[in-house]
Structure formats: structure tokens, C-alpha cells
Amino acid sequence: MSAFKPLVFSGVQPTGNLHLGNYLGAIRKFVALQESNDCIYCVVDMHSITAQLVHEDLPKQTRSITAAFLAAGIDPKKHIVFNQSRVPQHAELAWVFNCVARIGWMNRMTQFKDKAGKDRENASLGLLAYPSLMAADILLYRATHVPVGDDQKQHLELTRDIAAKFNNDFSARIGELGVGVEMMMGEEKLNGFFPLTEPIIEGPATRVMSLRDGSKKMSKSDPSDLSRINLTDDADTISKKIKKAKTDPEPLPSEMEGLKERPEAENLIGIYAALSDRTREDVIAEFGGQQFSIFKPALADLAVDKLAPIAGEMRRISADTAYVDSILRDGGERAGAIARETMKTVHEIVGLLND
């Protein structure tokens, strides 16, 4: 092999309702990327138990994420859509990576610090090791690219560190087996089995903030439902939430510089730009100097136009449980075939005996 085959991988946790931030930051990118790439999209149900072990209805949440993928336009026949726990090699490779990763690397992960809070001693080991499983999710398929939000960049950097250390430690064995790609690590040439996965971070709304507080990320866990637009919201609810979104008393600025220190204005401008496939500069050129009383109804109409059809299709697909399960079953079988081949080779590289 002279180069890694281009492949896009990404996953979404089945915890709570998907919202506008998930759509703009991830799912809409998934749809666009499938037009020119081979893609694997995963509902990462094993990740969902790292911070909260017991869920009210994890199967329903898993099916809901799958329905969102399909409603947004992901093609499960041309690409692979499945739930993580169907493919046990995710957990198996994660254990190998637990032995590759260093404790110091894990302790630097800001998301663990945020989620564990002050009671770190009482956090699950799974929450600490979460990034190692994420690395396994990606590298099990030797994915070359991952669409990520700003908050996941650090985890992808860890994925690259794990791949680099594995390749460096086992370079000679990879070369002997003839299963790798020649690659440069600094000034040293070595044999790599795993690619150094590249992030795909783009668009005017890579980080969508709360409608009630522009300094906080839009979140499923926010106690106020008015803080987010859920993908299952109907047209009236979408419109109401945008019109109730927090703003300041000043009119919209006429240039980008004027958005500084105005987080709510910046957030709403970014949402409009993303939904309309325009730049923030374009939106400011159109609405600069106008009051929010004019801008908010325009944003509400745009959001309803873009999101309400997805919500309706998502509800229709979710009602057909047998269909959703068939998609996950087929995707799991196809993903499993790739995963078994990867793990067979990893066993050979590491020295774990196979029959």
C-alpha cells in the first residue's frame, strides 16, 4: 500500500434530543461530505454510558439519531450507518489504545475536566478513557478525515498522537508484515499502519451557542428548552424560540468588528449564515444597522424553511422502528467486515495470537 485510502468517519452520541448545533456542526456536514467521499457514520452508543450509565431509553435514543441521519439526507446504501456496540472491535481496539496512550495525555483532556467537575475521583474510568475509545472508533476503519466541532479538536489531536506512537513503536513489525504505508514522522521515515487523521472544521457556525446565553454552547442538557432548537421541534416552536432568543438593545452592526463583545448577536448572525449557506459578512451587509425586531423574524422564517421538513421526516422515520433497525443491522454487518480485518492485522502487529 502506497497511501491510505481516503475515508471519512464521524459519530454522534445518542443522549437527549439532537439540536441545531448538532445539525450545523455535524450532521449537515455529513450529508455534504458523502457527495465526494466514502463515509462511515456511527451512533456511538457505547460513549453514551461514560458519563451516565443508566438511561431511560437508550435504544429509542439510538434510533432517533439514526432517523436524524436519514432525514437529513445521508444515504445508508452508498455509505455505512450503524451503531457502535454492534461492532465489538471498537472496544477491543480501545483496549490496545489504552495501553498506547499515556495517563498524562488523558489528564490534559479539557472535556474530562469539564464533565467530571470538582468530583473527579467519583467520575467513571470510562469518562477518563473516552478519548481512547474515540480514537478506536476512527482508526478501526483507518479513517483519514473526521468532521469535528471546535470542542472535539483536542480529542482528534489525541487520536493522532495514539496513531503516531503505535506506528513508531511497531514500525519494524509493520514493515516486516507488509501491512503499512511509508510515512514521515518529523525527519524520520517509518512504516505506519494507522493514518494521522485530519480534522474537517469549516463553516460559519462550527460552534452554535445557547439562545438564552451567547457565552455558552447550545446543549441537550441545558434545563431550559428555550436555549436550543431541537431537530424534532415543529415550525411554530422553532419560530417562537428564535423570537424569544436573548439579544441586546443595540441594532445589528454594519461590520464584523461590531460583533465583538456581543455574543448573542454573533451567534444569531452565525446561525443565519450557516442556514443560508452564506458568510457572516454577507448577512451583516444585508441586515447591518437594522433592529433585531426585523432580523429575528427573517431568521425564524429561514430556520423553519430549513429545519421543519427535516423534523417531519425524522418523525416519520422514527415511527418505523423495523426500518431503522434494518439500516443499523446492515450497516453493522458492513462495518464489522472492515473492523475484523483491521483487528486481525493489529493482533499480528502487536503479537496477540490468532487461530
Side-chain angles (χ1 to χ4, degrees):
M1 185 185 294
S2 60
F4 293 104
K5 179 184 176 183
L7 177 71
V8 171
F9 177 95
S10 197
V12 174
Q13 278 198 52
T15 50
N17 291 327
L18 284 178
H19 54 67
L20 179 64
N22 302 128
Y23 175 68
L24 294 178
I27 296 174
R28 198 172 72 152
K29 290 180 185 177
F30 297 176
V31 176
L33 287 167
Q34 72 176 348
E35 299 303 320
S36 55
N37 299 274
D38 289 330
C39 302
I40 298 177
Y41 295 130
C42 183
V43 184
V44 288
D45 49 357
M46 291 163 64
H47 280 294
S48 68
I49 63 174
T50 56
Q52 178 185 340
L53 180 60
V54 180
H55 291 262
E56 185 175 331
D57 194 344
L58 187 54
K60 181 180 179 181
Q61 292 175 334
T62 299
R63 293 183 180 112
S64 178
I65 301 297
T66 307
F69 285 172
L70 304 179
I74 291 173
D75 187 335
K77 294 183 178 179
K78 291 184 179 179
H79 306 281
I80 295 176
V81 175
F82 74 109
N83 60 301
Q84 179 189 27
S85 61
R86 288 180 186 269
V87 181
Q89 287 80 13
H90 283 258
E92 186 179 3
L93 184 57
W95 177 254
V96 175
F97 286 171
N98 283 345
C99 301
V100 174
R102 307 291 92 177
I103 290 175
W105 300 357
M106 296 300 188
N107 284 334
R108 287 196 295 271
M109 296 293 106
T110 56
Q111 272 212 353
F112 171 72
K113 296 174 184 176
D114 292 342
K115 290 185 177 182
K118 296 179 180 179
D119 194 15
R120 292 181 61 177
E121 295 299 315
N122 201 36
S124 75
L125 179 59
L127 185 61
L128 179 64
Y130 171 111
S132 181
L133 178 57
M134 179 176 166
D137 298 335
I138 297 165
L139 296 175
L140 185 57
Y141 306 98
R142 302 169 86 191
T144 55
H145 294 82
V146 174
V148 293
D150 287 341
D151 59 330
Q152 291 293 331
K153 283 194 295 185
Q154 190 184 36
H155 286 170
L156 191 58
E157 289 166 4
L158 180 74
T159 298
R160 290 168 56 88
D161 289 341
I162 288 173
K165 180 166 172 51
F166 184 95
N167 292 341
N168 185 68
D169 289 350
F170 291 104
S171 178
R173 186 84 56 84
I174 293 167
E176 290 170 9
L177 293 170
V179 294
V181 171
E182 282 194 350
M183 54 197 305
M184 298 301 296
M185 195 75 66
E187 296 183 359
E188 181 182 0
K189 182 182 288 186
L190 53 76
N191 301 294
F193 179 67
F194 292 117
L196 301 185
T197 309
E198 295 287 342
I200 302 173
I201 304 172
E202 55 188 24
T206 57
R207 190 175 177 86
V208 179
M209 312 306 282
S210 165
L211 297 179
R212 307 303 294 165
D213 183 349
S215 66
K216 296 180 179 178
K217 185 181 173 185
M218 187 175 286
S219 171
K220 306 170 189 175
S221 60
D222 193 307
S224 173
D225 193 55
L226 290 174
S227 69
R228 60 187 168 270
I229 296 173
N230 302 306
L231 288 193
T232 52
D233 286 343
D234 59 25
D236 288 343
T237 304
I238 292 170
S239 182
K240 181 183 76 171
K241 287 181 176 180
I242 288 176
K243 290 175 181 178
K244 285 182 173 290
K246 181 183 176 183
T247 55
D248 56 56
E250 299 298 320
L252 288 169
S254 299
E255 52 188 35
M256 288 291 293
E257 187 72 17
L259 288 177
K260 288 185 176 179
E261 309 302 326
R262 298 183 66 186
E264 284 79 21
E266 183 177 16
N267 187 41
L268 294 181
I269 289 286
I271 291 171
Y272 193 105
L275 287 174
S276 60
D277 293 313
R278 298 162 67 189
T279 66
R280 294 176 184 230
E281 288 83 357
D282 288 340
V283 178
I284 286 178
E286 179 178 351
F287 291 99
Q290 298 187 30
Q291 299 292 333
F292 282 103
S293 59
I294 295 174
F295 177 68
K296 279 186 174 181
L299 176 57
D301 289 345
L302 175 63
V304 167
D305 181 62
K306 296 291 185 180
L307 300 176
I310 295 173
E313 182 68 0
M314 187 175 166
R315 286 192 291 269
R316 185 191 69 80
I317 293 171
S318 293
D320 191 346
T321 301
Y323 171 68
V324 174
D325 287 354
S326 72
I327 295 296
L328 293 173
R329 188 180 308 111
D330 175 70
E333 290 172 358
R334 291 156 61 200
I338 301 170
R340 287 189 292 273
E341 285 300 311
T342 299
M343 282 311 303
K344 179 182 176 184
T345 305
V346 169
H347 279 216
E348 292 173 349
I349 293 170
V350 174
L352 302 174
L353 284 175
N354 289 282
D355 292 335

